[in-house]
Amino acid sequence: MRCLPWVVALLLAVGCASSNSQKEAEIRPRTIKVEVAPDPAAIRPANPLSGRIVSVNNKLRFVVIDFANSRLPEIDQKLSVYRNGQKLSEIRITGPFRSTTVAADILVGEPRFGDDVRLD
């Protein structure tokens, strides 16, 4: 009779220890190494800077550019304006920024609505 409490305590300790180790084994994440070969056709710049002219004011020599699918440029950054793949003009970002659009001064050339703007 005196050993009965010790036997019960021993059985509880063994039962708790085994259930904890099983729970820890279930919780531990399994690491799987997967090697993927790079696809040369999928290599692109991480975040290209490109936009489209949405408004032109030739009298005051400024444009408004939309960078909807690109990162925004920095103030005083010079960009090139392209039409049909040919460089036509240069602009300098002056601000203000409104959502994805920004204003820029025309430095050289005559940009038009719809022209592409890129960083050279």
Side-chain angles (χ1 to χ4, degrees), residues 44-62:
R44 295 180 196 97
N47 199 356
L49 180 62
S50 64
R52 187 161 299 233
I53 295 178
V54 293
S55 179
V56 179
N57 187 325
N58 286 320
K59 186 175 182 180
L60 297 177
R61 306 278 301 157
F62 78 91

Side-chain angles (χ1 to χ4, degrees), residues 1-114:
M1 287 304 260
R2 288 186 188 193
C3 349
L4 186 60
W6 289 102
V7 171
V8 171
L10 181 63
L11 289 175
L12 287 174
V14 170
C16 292
S18 65
S19 66
N20 283 343
S21 65
Q22 289 175 353
K23 288 179 185 174
E24 288 176 10
E26 292 172 3
I27 294 173
R28 274 186 242 139
R30 297 179 182 169
T31 57
I32 300 172
K33 287 188 176 182
V34 178
E35 293 184 24
V36 178
D39 183 10
I43 297 175
R44 295 180 196 97
N47 199 356
L49 180 62
S50 64
R52 187 161 299 233
I53 295 178
V54 293
S55 179
V56 179
N57 187 325
N58 286 320
K59 186 175 182 180
L60 297 177
R61 306 278 301 157
F62 78 91
V63 294
V64 177
I65 310 157
D66 185 20
F67 290 95
N69 298 323
S70 172
R71 64 183 171 91
L72 293 174
E74 297 176 12
I75 295 288
D76 290 332
Q77 188 171 13
K78 291 184 180 179
L79 302 173
S80 299
V81 178
Y82 289 85
R83 187 179 311 134
N84 298 327
Q86 290 188 331
K87 183 177 176 179
L88 300 173
S89 179
E90 287 187 359
I91 57 173
R92 185 180 66 235
I93 303 298
T94 56
F97 290 87
R98 297 278 190 257
S99 184
T100 60
T101 59
V102 64
D105 288 339
I106 300 170
L107 300 176
V108 177
E110 295 292 327
R112 285 194 235 157
F113 174 82

